[in-house]
Amino acid sequence: MIEHIHDNLSALGLAAAGKFIFTFKENNISDETQSAEIYIPVKGEIKPSENYGSKLIFRLINAVMTRHEGSISDISRTEAALKEYIRKNNFEPITNAYYVVIRNGDTFGSDCVFEVYIGTNYNSL
């Protein structure tokens, strides 16, 4: 999906200007589909559309981060380890996990690199 979006931004008169960020929403539509938000920093003006929205600034502050290297299918293990770290340190998570695509990997996604962030309440300690 990320590769498809990257390759087709030019159809909107846009170019990527940084790393793609995405998160999955809690309200799954079905077992076969998952609702997600994808944030793409772009060069160019974004015209209003009913198919997508825009944010001038995306900020994720006071987040705990870890890096995942390998298959995208194993990222849930990395996310679980990050959540366990947050729990052990008595941090209060306030966001879903956000994934920053560092390297998209090959066709099978076996050599991907992602950073995984979870925002925490700065008053939680």
Side-chain angles (χ1 to χ4, degrees):
M1 176 63 110
I2 300 285
E3 191 172 313
H4 174 76
I5 293 169
H6 184 270
D7 292 347
N8 290 284
L9 279 174
S10 61
L12 299 172
L14 302 170
K19 308 275 187 222
F20 283 43
I21 301 168
F22 64 96
T23 188
F24 295 108
K25 293 185 171 190
E26 296 293 327
N27 56 347
N28 291 341
I29 296 169
S30 73
D31 290 340
E32 296 174 4
T33 61
Q34 178 135 20
S35 183
E37 290 182 349
I38 302 171
Y39 298 95
I40 307 163
V42 295
K43 296 176 191 169
E45 183 180 338
I46 299 174
K47 296 175 180 72
S49 169
E50 62 185 45
N51 299 319
Y52 55 84
S54 65
K55 288 187 176 189
L56 290 178
I57 298 173
F58 172 77
R59 289 190 181 126
L60 182 60
I61 57 173
N62 209 51
V64 180
M65 184 274 285
T66 191
R67 184 172 273 230
H68 172 80
E69 296 184 21
S71 173
I72 184 94
S73 63
D74 295 333
I75 202 163
S76 61
R77 222 176 325 169
T78 302
E79 184 181 333
L82 181 60
K83 287 178 178 178
E84 179 62 16
Y85 175 85
I86 289 169
R87 187 194 64 73
K88 281 184 177 179
N89 287 280
N90 296 316
F91 298 138
E92 178 187 350
I94 59 172
T95 70
N96 292 334
Y98 284 87
Y99 308 92
V100 178
V101 180
I102 304 301
R103 183 176 65 224
N104 200 24
D106 60 22
T107 306
F108 302 104
S110 61
D111 65 344
C112 296
V113 178
F114 294 94
E115 291 176 346
V116 183
Y117 293 83
I118 296 177
T120 60
N121 185 343
Y122 65 91
N123 288 321
S124 60
L125 282 181

